[in-house]
Amino acid sequence: MPFSAVSRQFLTAALVHLAAAGAVLLLGSYGGALTARWDLLVWLLLIGFIGFTTAGFALHLFPTISRRPQPPRWVARGAFLLAESGFVLGAVGLSGATSTPFAGGIVALGALLFLGCEVTILGLFARELIQPPLRTRGPDARPGDAVTVPLFLASWTAAAGSAGLFVLSGFTGGPGFGWWLAAVHLFVLGHAVLLITAVSLRLVPRSLEADVSRPVVYALAGLAISGAWLVPFGMLALPPTSASDLALFAAPEAAFAVLFVSVLIVLVHRARTPRAEVGLHLTSVTLFLIGGTIGLWMVTESDYALVVAHALLNVLGFVGLTILFMWFGMVAPFQRISHAWTRRMLGILAVAWVLGVVAAATAGVAGWPHVGWLSPLAGALLFGVAITWGAGTIPVLYPRINPLPGMTSGELRVIRDRWKHR
């Protein structure tokens, strides 16, 4: 099924925002991307890149998964306008471009507009579900299908809750660890992780022609949902002086991460059609385990020198890398040259992405000398990945666009024929 106009807008904007995050990190040694402007970088990655990507793919996938018709185009377009306006306002407020008394209000207004987008998308999903399902025959049911729609709804409920916490963070610090940190964790664990779980349980078994049992699927979904809410709740309920108690609230999320890795390993072992992309999936979840372990160590020892590394391993390492290989699976960038080029570029961009994550996480370790040069290196890698990723994606999303201005369609056909088998 082709992507709708609004899904294309969300996905294109996501890559533009990723390039902006890479540029901020590239200039990190001057603008303090990992210190004074850390919240701006988090906003660019969470809201601008991850939030727009999930919205673009969800508006494309949910009607198929729920076996319902496409949502009204004008409502979806309104959600995009709300999201982009909110993203820009939030970025301006966090950039320091405005005077201090108004910065918090601008961030709150941006978060409020983004909240409107998330509530609109959640409303679209609810509207879809009250309509009768389509009578066309769908794919054969698998155990993971039972939790797909509930996880989608839980994911967008968490996204709306996170946006609400971001609104509050524009006015006051909040209880415990603060509204901002709770919002970040609810967005990552409640929105991104739940959506990744839903899509993984839906697509990976079909790709590998293998399944896990329904009780395991329910356990994975239950741990993901409970962990997604318990961690931010604990961050608000507990004062920083009782940080070690936060490990109890994080126990379901830790169990989820271990079970998720185990499920992927079992699926790989049972696979009747092995896929190389599963290696990237295992790599991303391993980075999630490492990032989560660092987080548990920090709250247990009350030592937050690794907080930036913890965040980047989860946001860029787990969520970002997962988006990368799932994007290539659903959009197939560079397919206008050849599918061989799609597979080749996925490998190249994945290596560059992982190197960028490692460089950024290392540069963010407080107190380590002689690593300042790693921040610009990470920014250059992510910026280069975003530009290359967009160069392969935009011609696929918008087939009428000539990807090489100044060349005729005949010349493009010659280039495509020349490279399609290379």
Side-chain angles (χ1 to χ4, degrees):
M1 183 176 67
F3 285 90
S4 68
V6 177
S7 286
R8 294 198 300 266
Q9 291 169 354
F10 268 112
L11 297 177
T12 302
L15 293 180
V16 173
H17 302 156
L18 176 62
V24 168
L25 196 55
L26 176 60
L27 302 174
S29 56
Y30 307 101
L34 300 180
T35 53
R37 295 288 175 262
W38 168 241
D39 287 347
L40 172 61
L41 182 63
V42 170
W43 182 267
L44 293 174
L45 291 172
L46 281 190
I47 306 303
F49 172 54
I50 296 174
F52 276 65
T53 300
T54 56
F57 279 124
L59 290 172
H60 175 69
L61 290 174
F62 191 80
T64 300
I65 289 172
S66 63
R67 297 178 54 75
R68 295 320 196 268
Q70 289 289 323
R73 183 177 301 178
W74 66 271
V75 179
R77 184 174 289 114
F80 174 78
L81 293 175
L82 285 170
E84 187 63 29
S85 301
F87 165 76
V88 171
L89 281 176
V92 169
L94 293 168
S95 68
T98 57
S99 57
T100 304
F102 300 101
I106 292 175
V107 173
L109 178 58
L112 184 63
L113 291 173
F114 186 71
L115 172 61
C117 166
E118 302 302 87
V119 170
T120 299
I121 294 177
L122 183 59
L124 283 175
F125 292 165
R127 177 186 179 277
E128 294 279 286
L129 292 177
I130 63 175
Q131 298 185 65
L134 299 176
R135 296 180 179 276
T136 56
R137 176 178 172 82
D140 294 337
R142 290 181 177 270
D145 297 355
V147 298
T148 305
V149 170
L151 282 175
F152 262 78
L153 297 177
S155 172
W156 251 269
T157 301
S162 173
L165 295 178
F166 276 125
V167 173
L168 293 175
S169 72
F171 297 107
T172 179
F177 287 81
W179 301 121
W180 178 269
L181 281 179
V184 169
H185 282 79
L186 183 56
F187 194 87
V188 174
L189 302 179
H191 179 56
V193 171
L194 291 186
L195 194 58
I196 288 172
T197 305
V199 175
S200 297
L201 290 175
R202 181 84 180 190
L203 299 183
V204 174
R206 286 181 166 83
S207 175
L208 299 178
E209 286 294 324
D211 288 297
V212 291
S213 66
R214 192 176 293 268
V216 171
V217 168
Y218 288 147
L220 193 65
L223 288 171
I225 293 173
S226 58
W229 287 94
L230 282 175
V231 171
F233 175 78
M235 299 188 81
L236 294 174
L238 297 174
T241 53
S242 302
S244 59
D245 295 336
L246 191 57
L248 296 175
F249 289 86
E253 192 67 30
F256 159 79
V258 173
L259 182 58
F260 198 8
V261 171
S262 302
V263 166
L264 288 177
I265 292 174
V266 169
L267 289 174
V268 170
H269 178 70
R270 295 177 178 176
R272 282 183 277 179
T273 55
R275 306 283 184 182
E277 291 79 3
V278 180
L280 293 177
H281 208 157
L282 284 169
T283 301
S284 70
V285 180
T286 300
L287 291 173
F288 183 46
L289 275 174
I290 296 172
T293 301
I294 291 174
L296 289 174
W297 178 85
M298 287 193 303
V299 297
T300 302
E301 300 295 326
S302 294
D303 184 348
Y304 302 102
L306 299 177
V307 64
V308 171
H310 157 73
L312 291 176
L313 286 172
N314 287 334
V315 173
L316 280 177
F318 171 53
V319 181
L321 184 59
T322 302
I323 287 175
L324 177 64
F325 68 77
M326 285 189 173
W327 186 302
F328 268 70
M330 287 185 272
V331 178
F334 302 97
Q335 63 173 279
R336 293 188 69 182
I337 300 175
S338 72
H339 286 289
W341 260 76
T342 296
R343 293 189 293 271
R344 180 184 296 118
M345 291 307 299
L346 172 58
I348 293 172
L349 295 184
V351 170
W353 187 274
V354 172
L355 290 176
V357 171
V358 173
T362 305
V365 177
W368 276 19
H370 312 303
V371 296
W373 59 275
L374 289 174
S375 175
L377 173 63
L381 287 169
L382 293 179
F383 183 80
V385 167
I387 297 300
T388 307
W389 190 345
T393 293
I394 292 175
V396 176
L397 293 178
Y398 300 91
R400 293 183 180 180
I401 293 179
N402 185 340
L404 295 174
M407 300 191 70
T408 66
S409 58
E411 290 171 328
L412 288 174
R413 193 178 302 110
V414 170
I415 294 174
R416 184 164 56 249
D417 292 341
R418 182 185 305 161
W419 287 96
K420 67 181 180 180
H421 297 302
R422 300 186 184 182

